[in-house]
Amino acid sequence: MEPVYPEFVPDGSLARGEMEALQDDIAEAAVFEDDLDFDPDRVTIDRDSDQRPLADADPPVIAGVDQAFLEDDRAVSAAVALRAGEVIETATAVAETAIPYIPGLLSFREGNAVLAALQALSVTPDLTVVDGSGRIHFRQAGLATHVGVTLDHPTIGVAKNLLCGTPREPIPERLAEGERIPIEADEGVTAPDGTVIGYAYQSRQYDSGSTSINPLYVSPGHRISASTAVDVVARTCGGYKLPEPTRLADSLADEAKGTFE
DNA sequence: GCGACAG
DNA sequence: ATCTTGTCGC
């Protein structure tokens, strides 16, 4: 995979206003509806789902990317590609973090590392799960959207915290596993008020007890709708809070740090 | 001026 | 994100 729109490749030397203007352009080019080359219902991490003799096609390849940071100004990005829960390829890459972490401008800090890791993959995933937000972003151009549009590749953003937007209903202390609550655009988002820009999704929950797990915040990156994005994430979670592609990329990024030190 | 803010 | 051992609760 390589950039289809080089003009969207994150440039950390831009002025803040220019970065935000670029995000507006990216949001304009983003497609927040299903435009996939595979059937999302065929997404699975069940290794045995492919044992049917007459399966008409291979399950789609889903990739996950995550970053870890070196002590200098470099980010290590790891990409893991899976087909039916089977790791078929991994790749890592490093890139400079031109700017510090600034809410709303994350893609200008980590975007190049992500693009480098995805380019290092020889396989072209059918969809990539990115750590961070997609459409749940002030200008509807979070890391997942920025990367997806730049590559014109289907992406989903999975964040552990909500950046902006308003839950349709207050998030309870404890959500049951599988529950999803729409996140709607408000005054702080450049989308019509009430637009569903993502979902709070409870990927895992303890059966009972005092402690509970927080939900994930899933949003479309590019070429997928908010509801399909949650469905896909639900299909890739296997007993852990994070979807398998992201979880594996997370640990790989940590291991890879030693390689670039 | 205050508050809120992915990783 | 990152610094970090044990520890409380499934």
Side-chain angles (χ1 to χ4, degrees):
Chain A
M1 277 199 288
E2 52 186 68
V4 171
Y5 297 106
E7 64 271 35
F8 288 155
V9 170
D11 178 356
S13 72
L14 295 177
R16 178 165 186 150
E18 299 177 311
M19 292 181 176
E20 297 179 345
L22 184 61
Q23 292 182 324
D24 285 329
D25 292 341
I26 289 167
E28 188 59 41
V31 174
F32 299 126
E33 54 185 58
D34 295 335
D35 180 15
L36 309 167
D37 296 323
F38 63 95
D39 178 355
D41 291 333
R42 300 198 76 253
V43 172
T44 179
I45 55 168
D46 177 9
R47 290 159 167 279
D48 295 316
S49 67
D50 196 33
Q51 297 308 305
R52 294 160 301 173
L54 298 179
D56 51 3
D58 282 336
V61 173
I62 308 298
V65 287
D66 190 30
Q67 291 68 248
F69 299 84
L70 267 30
E71 293 170 305
D72 51 0
D73 297 317
R74 290 184 300 165
V76 176
S77 183
V80 177
L82 314 172
R83 178 186 286 127
E86 189 116 23
V87 176
I88 60 173
E89 189 181 5
T90 68
T92 59
V94 279
E96 290 188 314
T97 54
I99 63 171
Y101 166 68
I102 299 172
L105 298 179
L106 184 66
S107 63
F108 288 91
R109 174 177 168 78
E110 308 183 3
N112 283 310
V114 174
L115 291 173
L118 292 178
Q119 285 183 60
L121 284 177
S122 65
V123 293
T124 297
D126 288 295
L127 177 150
T128 297
V129 181
V130 179
D131 65 302
S133 291
R135 194 181 190 184
I136 292 181
H137 179 275
F138 311 120
R139 290 166 293 283
Q140 306 179 76
L143 179 60
T145 299
H146 198 147
V147 170
V149 170
T150 300
L151 300 172
D152 190 23
H153 168 73
T155 56
I156 292 175
V158 174
K160 303 178 198 67
N161 292 288
L162 187 59
L163 173 63
C164 60
T166 305
R168 177 171 292 172
E169 54 191 85
I171 307 288
E173 279 301 314
R174 181 198 189 76
L175 268 182
E177 192 165 302
E179 290 241 54
R180 47 196 76 179
I181 294 177
I183 302 300
E184 306 179 328
D186 54 28
E187 310 71 40
V189 180
T190 62
D193 255 68
T195 302
V196 176
I197 55 178
Y199 286 87
Y201 172 66
Q202 197 69 44
S203 56
R204 188 191 172 190
Q205 188 53 281
Y206 296 133
D207 299 316
S208 63
S210 58
T211 58
S212 71
I213 298 175
N214 294 137
L216 292 176
Y217 293 93
V218 181
S219 60
H222 183 47
R223 292 174 55 179
I224 191 166
S225 65
S227 63
T228 301
V230 200
D231 291 340
V232 168
V233 167
R235 286 174 165 282
T236 57
C237 288
Y240 295 92
K241 172 174 178 173
L242 293 179
E244 208 58 10
T246 296
R247 203 176 68 79
L248 295 176
D250 185 86
S251 59
L252 177 56
D254 275 324
E255 296 171 24
K257 284 175 70 175
T259 307
F260 297 101
E261 284 170 346

